[in-house]
Amino acid sequence: MGDSETVVAEAPAAVTHAAAGFGDSVSNPTQEAAPTVSETAAEEAQTNSMEDSKQGTEAPSGLGSAATGSSQVNGGPVANATGLENGNALANTDGSADEKQLADGYAAMSAEEDRLWNIVRANSSDFTAWTSLIEETEKVAEDNILKIRRVYDAFLAEFPLCYGYWKKYADHEARLGSVDKVVEVYERAVQGVTYSVDMWLHYCIFAISTYGDPDTVRRLFERGLAYVGTDYLSFPLWDKYIEYEYMQQDWARLASIYTRILENPNQQLDRYFNSFKELAANRPLSELRTADEAAAVAGAASEAAGQTIEEEVRPDGAESSPKPVSAGLTEAEELEKYIAVREEMYKKAKEFDSKIIGFETAIRRPYFHVRPLNVGELENWHNYLDFIEREGDLSKIVKLYERCVIACANYPEYWIRYILCMEASGSMDLANNVLARATQVFVKRQPEIHLFSARFKEQSGDIAGARAAYQLVHTEISPGLLEAIIRHANMEHRLGKLEDAFSLYEQAIAIEKGKEHSQTLPMLFAQFSRFVYLASGNAEKARQILVDGVENVMMSKPLLEALLHFESIQPPPKRVDMNYLESLVVKFIMPNPESPGIASAPEREELSSIFLEFLNLFGDVQSIKRCEDRHAKLFLPHRSMSELKKRHAEDFLASDKAKVARSYSVPSTAQSTVGAYPNAQNQWTNYGVQPQAWPPATQAQQWPAGYTQPASYGAYAGYGANYPSSQVPASVPQNAAYGAYPAAYPVQPAVPQQSYAQPAAAVAPAQQPAAVPQAYYGNYY
C-alpha cells in the first residue's frame, strides 16, 4: 500500500556528479522564477502541444523505468547529454545535423540576441537577461530548433530547477523535433528538479497523450510518486493518476491508489476519503480488490471452510454432535471491514496532518524565484525541519529537506543544515551528495558554503579536498577574503605545516600591496602578527610584522590598535619605545589637511582614548599629562558643543516646571576623569573577545532578504570592534555574510553540536606563550 518510501532516502546518494560532467557543465541555478506570462501561456497549452502525437507511439526504453533505485535528486546532472558550456554551441541536435547545419543554425542572430548573449556570458546569474534572451530567441527563431535548443540548454544549465522552462523547452521539441527529443528533455528535467510535483505532472501528461500502452504510463506515474507522492501538495499528480485509471476503468488499481493516498497527510485528504467511499459504494467489492488482496481473502475462506469439525467430549465420554465453524463474513460485512481499514489509515493521516498544517500553510512559495523569501517563511522552514527531525523518520526528513532546498536554494544555511543532518544520521553518501550540489550548483558563488566544505572535508580526512575548497575561494570566489586566509592558515597549522601557513599570509599581503588603498591589508598585517605570536610564540617576529605594516600601509586604526595591544600583553620587563608609539598615534589623531579622510573623528578620539589607557598602565606622568592635554584640546571642545546642542533640544521639549527646576540646579564642581575622558575607561575590557561588527560593503551584491547575519567574527577578533571592513574584491563583493557561518552553525571549534548534526571533535588550541592572556587569545583555533 505504500509508495516506496525507502526509495527516496537512498536515491540521492547514488548521483555521481563527476561521471556526468556535472561539476563542469552546470552552473548556478540560483532560484526558480515564478511563472511569467509566457510561462503561464506555455503551461496552459501543455496538452495542445501534443495533439499531433499518435497514441500508438512506442515508448523509449527509459520512459517510466526504474521507479525504485532511481538516482535522481534536485539539481542532478541536468546537462549530462549536452557537453554544455555557458553560451557555447551544443552538440545536442539530431544525428543528421552536421557542423555546417549547426553553424547555419547559430549564424543568424539579431542585434538584440547578440547583446543579450554578451550580458549572460559576462554574468551567467543574471536571470532577467536570460529570460529576455529566451523571449528574443523564440521571437526570431521561428522554426529554428537549433537556436531554441542552444538558449534553453544554456539557461537550464544555470537554472535547472525552473520547471516552467523545462516544460516550454519540451513543447518546442514537440512542435519542431521528435518524440525522442521530448522524452530526452523531460528526462533531463526530472533529473534536475526531481522533487517537483509540477515537473512530474507535465511529464505524465505528455506520456498519456503520446503512448497507448497503459503500463508505460503507469510506470512513469509510479516513478514520479516515489519521489513526490507524500508531498503535502502532491494532489495534482494523484488527481491525474486517478483520472487516467478512471479512463481505463481499472477499479482495483483505482482503489489501490486511494488506499495509498490515505496513508499520508495531503491538502485534499478529506476529498480523497469521500471519493474512496463513493467508489466503494458504487462498485462491488470483488472489483475493488487487487489480485493479491482477492487471493488472500480466498485463502482465508478456504482455510475456514476446510477446518475439521470439532468434537466435544462429554464428561461421561460420549461424543457431542458436530458443530460447523463459520466459513466467513457476509459480503456487506466484508465491505464494511474493507472500508474500516482505510478509514483507520485516514484518521492516522489526519492526526499527523493536524501537527503539520501550521507549517504547511506558512509555506507561501514552494517553488523557486529569484526574489528572496521573507523572514517568516525562512523561520518556518527551520521550525518545520526541527519538527520532522524529532519525528525520526529518515525518509520524511530527506523529502522535506529536498522540498526546502527548492524554495531556499539560495540560502547556504539550509544546505549546511541538510549536510549536517545527513552526517548525524550516518548517511555520509547523501551528505556528500548534498554538499556537491550546494558547492557546484546552487550556492557555488557564496564563500561561506566553500568555507564550510573545507572544514567538512578536513574533518572527514579529505585534506586535498579541503585545500582545494580554500584555493577556490582564494582564486575565484572571493580573492583576498580574510576569513578564508585565516581558516586556511589555521588548518595548515593543525596539520603541522607552520611554514605553509606563514606563506599563505605572506602571499596574501603581497597581493594586497599591489592594490591601491587596500582596506584588507592592515587587517592582514594584524592577523598575521597575531597568528605568528600564537602559533610560534615568536614575539620579535610578531612585533616586526606590525611595524612593517605601519610603515607600508596608510595609517590605520586597526593596525595601531593591534600594535598597542600587542605591547600591552608582553611580559615584563617591558621594552616599549613610547616615543615611537606616541608619534604614530599623534600622526593618526591630528587633523591633516592633506589626508582629511584618513580617519573619522570618532575613530581618532577612540584611538586617543586607547593610547591614554595604555599610558596609564605603562607610561610616566609627564607623557600622561602631555597626551591628556592633547586629547582635551582635540576632542573635548567638539564634545562640549555637541552636548550643548543636545541640552538645547531637551530644554525645548521639556515642561516649564522642568525648565525652572533645571535653572536653579547647582552643578557639581568635582568633575571626574571619567567625565573628561568618557572613552578612556575600560578600553581593554574583554578586548579580543568582543564580537567584531563588520560594516556592510557599500557595493556588495544584494543577498536575499531574511538571510540572517552570520555569527560574529569574535572567534578571531583580537583587535576591538571598530575595524573597517575588508577591501571588497572587484569580482565578488565583500559582504558581512562572509565573516563566518550563519549563527545557527557557529564555526569554532570545528562543526558545532546541533540538534540535526553530529559534531566532530573540537581541535584543541595550540600551546600559548606563557604570558598571553586567555581572555584575548581564547577561541583562536
Side-chain angles (χ1 to χ4, degrees):
M1 295 181 186
D3 66 342
S4 305
E5 291 278 359
T6 57
V7 174
V8 181
E10 298 171 356
V15 176
T16 306
H17 296 267
F22 179 68
D24 296 330
S25 63
V26 182
S27 301
N28 184 20
T30 54
Q31 292 186 333
E32 162 78 14
T36 61
V37 174
S38 55
E39 260 187 281
T40 305
E43 292 176 7
E44 290 174 352
Q46 57 195 358
T47 55
N48 295 335
S49 62
M50 301 301 165
E51 288 179 354
D52 294 334
S53 300
K54 295 182 179 180
Q55 293 292 326
T57 304
E58 182 180 353
S61 59
L63 180 69
S65 62
T68 60
S70 178
S71 59
Q72 297 171 193
V73 289
N74 290 328
V78 299
N80 56 354
T82 63
L84 181 63
E85 285 297 335
N86 201 22
N88 292 340
L90 304 174
N92 188 30
T93 57
D94 293 330
S96 60
D98 57 18
E99 293 182 3
K100 183 177 184 302
Q101 286 176 307
L102 289 173
D104 291 343
Y106 297 147
M109 186 181 295
S110 69
E112 180 64 7
E113 278 185 287
D114 187 57
R115 184 185 72 82
L116 291 169
W117 271 114
N118 289 332
I119 292 174
V120 298
R121 287 190 186 103
N123 179 14
S124 59
S125 63
D126 189 338
F127 187 86
T128 303
W130 276 114
T131 55
S132 298
L133 176 59
I134 291 173
E135 291 176 5
E136 178 66 18
T137 302
E138 289 175 332
K139 183 171 66 175
V140 301
E142 296 179 350
D143 295 340
N144 189 337
I145 189 61
L146 300 182
K147 292 185 70 171
I148 292 172
R149 285 171 181 164
R150 181 194 187 197
V151 69
Y152 273 100
D153 284 332
F155 168 76
L156 290 167
E158 283 291 324
F159 301 91
L161 300 181
C162 292
Y163 70 85
Y165 285 90
W166 283 112
K167 173 62 173 61
K168 291 177 67 178
Y169 189 5
D171 288 347
H172 283 300
E173 288 290 0
R175 180 173 59 90
L176 301 172
S178 63
V179 170
D180 287 346
K181 283 296 182 181
V182 179
V183 172
E184 179 184 314
V185 170
Y186 273 121
E187 283 297 320
R188 290 168 57 197
V190 296
Q191 290 179 39
V193 57
T194 311
Y195 287 83
S196 168
V197 174
D198 297 275
M199 195 70 262
W200 286 106
L201 176 62
H202 293 320
Y203 196 1
C204 289
I205 289 172
F206 160 76
I208 291 171
S209 64
T210 304
Y211 304 114
D213 179 16
D215 289 338
T216 299
V217 177
R218 287 168 180 150
R219 283 198 303 270
L220 185 61
F221 271 113
E222 292 297 334
R223 187 174 154 206
L225 290 168
Y227 292 102
V228 302
T230 58
D231 191 309
Y232 194 75
L233 301 177
S234 61
F235 61 89
L237 187 59
W238 286 111
D239 286 346
K240 183 56 65 174
Y241 200 4
I242 289 170
E243 177 188 322
Y244 181 73
E245 292 300 350
Y246 260 113
M247 293 169 57
Q248 305 302 314
Q249 296 190 356
D250 192 330
W251 310 118
R253 285 186 182 274
L254 193 57
S256 176
I257 291 171
Y258 278 120
T259 300
R260 292 164 59 189
I261 294 173
L262 296 176
E263 289 182 306
N264 297 286
N266 190 294
Q267 190 187 73
Q268 304 292 320
L269 192 63
D270 294 337
R271 173 169 64 84
Y272 286 125
F273 183 57
N274 292 331
S275 296
F276 165 73
K277 290 192 295 184
E278 183 179 346
L279 176 67
N282 293 330
R283 308 302 307 179
L285 185 58
S286 59
E287 293 184 5
L288 299 180
R289 285 177 172 147
T290 63
D292 292 339
E293 290 172 340
V297 171
S302 299
E303 182 180 350
Q307 288 181 349
T308 59
I309 299 175
E310 296 181 1
E311 296 180 352
E312 294 183 2
V313 180
R314 297 179 178 231
D316 58 359
E319 294 184 355
S320 62
S321 60
K323 291 175 65 179
V325 178
S326 175
L329 303 174
T330 65
E331 183 173 350
E333 291 172 331
E334 287 283 358
L335 179 61
E336 183 179 353
K337 181 180 178 181
Y338 180 82
I339 295 175
V341 170
R342 280 120 186 108
E343 185 173 7
E344 187 63 27
M345 294 178 183
Y346 163 74
K347 290 178 179 179
K348 289 182 179 180
K350 286 294 289 184
E351 181 181 355
F352 193 72
D353 182 282
S354 67
K355 298 177 181 179
I356 65 172
I357 185 65
F359 301 122
E360 290 289 350
T361 54
I363 299 172
R364 302 299 183 185
R365 199 182 76 198
Y367 53 87
F368 278 93
H369 200 286
V370 291
R371 291 193 299 268
L373 290 165
N374 61 54
V375 176
E377 197 159 352
L378 292 171
E379 291 178 350
N380 179 68
W381 277 114
H382 276 305
N383 294 335
Y384 199 177
L385 291 168
D386 289 341
F387 170 78
I388 290 297
E389 286 172 5
R390 287 194 297 269
E391 292 292 307
D393 186 324
L394 182 60
S395 177
K396 289 181 179 178
I397 291 170
V398 170
K399 287 183 177 182
L400 185 62
Y401 267 110
E402 290 294 342
R403 288 179 61 196
C404 173
V405 296
I406 288 177
C408 306
N410 250 14
Y411 297 84
E413 62 193 271
Y414 295 96
W415 291 100
I416 291 171
R417 175 172 181 161
Y418 191 1
I419 295 162
L420 295 176
C421 180
M422 294 302 99
E423 180 191 30
S425 70
S427 305
M428 286 304 298
D429 287 343
L430 232 172
N432 288 323
N433 170 267
V434 176
L435 180 62
R437 284 188 281 155
T439 55
Q440 297 177 23
V441 184
F442 296 103
V443 284
K444 68 177 185 178
R445 293 183 177 90
Q446 300 193 35
E448 53 266 46
I449 193 65
H450 295 285
L451 297 181
F452 171 83
S453 174
R455 183 63 60 83
F456 186 81
K457 290 180 178 179
E458 180 192 356
Q459 290 166 357
S460 62
D462 183 6
I463 303 303
R467 287 190 175 120
Y470 283 125
Q471 195 61 32
L472 184 65
V473 177
H474 298 327
T475 58
E476 296 182 25
I477 305 301
S478 186
L481 180 63
L482 185 63
E483 174 74 359
I485 296 165
I486 292 171
R487 287 176 177 271
H488 192 177
N490 290 350
M491 184 189 76
E492 297 298 344
H493 176 235
R494 286 192 293 273
L495 297 172
K497 297 184 178 296
L498 190 57
E499 291 303 319
D500 289 348
F502 290 163
S503 178
L504 285 169
Y505 277 106
E506 291 165 354
Q507 291 174 16
I509 288 172
I511 292 172
E512 291 299 319
K513 280 183 177 179
K515 299 178 182 178
E516 187 176 0
H517 304 305
S518 171
Q519 295 180 8
T520 303
L521 191 54
M523 289 297 298
L524 273 172
F525 275 111
Q527 290 289 353
F528 186 22
S529 169
R530 181 171 178 267
F531 178 78
V532 168
Y533 187 52
L534 286 170
S536 67
N538 190 336
E540 288 302 320
K541 182 175 181 179
R543 179 183 289 110
Q544 187 58 47
I545 291 169
L546 290 172
V547 172
D548 290 344
V550 170
E551 294 177 353
N552 285 280
V553 303
M554 182 181 294
M555 198 62 66
S556 164
K557 177 179 175 289
L559 197 53
L560 292 175
E561 193 177 351
L563 181 57
L564 290 172
H565 190 259
F566 176 80
E567 296 296 354
S568 73
I569 63 173
Q570 294 308 300
K574 295 283 185 182
R575 295 179 297 165
V576 181
D577 187 344
M578 290 294 184
N579 293 331
Y580 175 68
L581 291 179
E582 184 174 354
S583 67
L584 295 176
V585 171
V586 170
K587 185 178 180 181
F588 181 81
I589 67 175
M590 292 295 289
N592 186 352
E594 297 180 0
S595 302
I598 190 173
S600 65
E603 286 180 324
R604 293 188 294 109
E605 181 179 1
E606 185 176 353
L607 185 65
S608 179
S609 297
I610 291 173
F611 187 54
L612 276 172
E613 182 71 12
F614 179 83
L615 288 177
N616 273 305
L617 287 170
F618 308 113
D620 54 46
V621 67
Q622 289 80 14
S623 62
I624 293 173
K625 183 179 186 306
R626 183 170 62 251
C627 290
E628 284 181 342
D629 292 345
R630 180 170 55 243
H631 184 92
K633 180 179 179 181
L634 288 174
F635 304 114
L636 291 187
H638 301 286
R639 178 177 297 280
S640 299
M641 289 299 296
S642 176
E643 292 175 351
L644 180 62
K645 291 177 181 178
K646 182 179 179 181
R647 283 199 300 271
H648 285 170
E650 290 173 349
D651 288 343
F652 180 78
L653 296 173
S655 66
D656 291 341
K657 182 176 180 180
K659 292 179 183 179
V660 173
R662 188 181 296 109
S663 65
Y664 284 95
S665 64
V666 180
S668 172
T669 57
Q671 185 178 14
S672 67
T673 304
V674 177
Y677 306 106
N679 289 335
Q681 298 301 311
N682 299 321
Q683 287 298 326
W684 309 103
T685 302
N686 293 326
Y687 192 65
V689 295
Q690 56 184 323
Q692 262 182 312
W694 298 97
T698 56
Q699 59 179 359
Q701 72 183 60
Q702 296 300 313
W703 295 105
Y707 186 68
T708 56
Q709 175 69 21
S712 69
Y713 198 70
Y716 300 114
Y719 305 107
N722 294 289
Y723 293 166
S725 66
S726 304
Q727 181 174 359
V728 182
S731 59
V732 180
Q734 185 84 12
N735 188 279
Y738 295 171
Y741 296 151
Y745 313 101
V747 177
Q748 305 296 339
V751 176
Q753 175 71 40
Q754 298 288 344
S755 61
Y756 45 81
Q758 182 68 35
V763 181
Q767 174 109 14
Q768 306 296 338
V772 179
Q774 284 298 318
Y776 172 59
Y777 289 106
N779 297 328
Y780 179 63
Y781 297 102

